[in-house]
Amino acid sequence: ALPPAAAGTAYDGLFSVADWYSTFCELAGEDPADLEAQQANEWLRARRLPQLPPVDGVSHWAALSGRSAPPRSEVHLSS
């Protein structure tokens, strides 16, 4: 739950749309790693094929709840 002190405040950290997934996973107590993609990469690697990228989002929950500084210091760009 959001601490009362954080309610109604603004968040000024750099936040990518990719970060929502990792943030929601942390709130739900789940690992954001894509285990199926990791398994597929073993098959792809054995055949010298391009591999799937890892999840590139980072959780902002600690920063949103006022327990740490925002985790990003650079703008995240995806294509």
Side-chain angles (χ1 to χ4, degrees):
L2 189 65
T9 62
Y11 183 70
D12 62 357
L14 295 174
F15 205 106
S16 165
V17 68
D19 297 333
W20 282 115
Y21 176 73
S22 296
T23 302
F24 288 145
C25 282
E26 182 176 348
L27 283 167
E30 294 294 324
D31 182 356
D34 187 346
L35 301 179
E36 289 183 23
Q38 291 174 6
Q39 291 173 348
N41 280 341
E42 292 175 20
W43 187 89
L44 292 166
R45 191 174 14 262
R47 288 154 183 80
R48 297 181 185 209
L49 295 170
Q51 296 177 40
L52 301 169
V55 172
D56 56 2
V58 294
S59 176
H60 286 251
W61 180 241
L64 288 167
S65 60
R67 294 181 287 124
S68 74
R72 287 204 183 274
S73 60
E74 298 175 333
V75 175
H76 172 80
L77 299 176
S78 350
S79 58

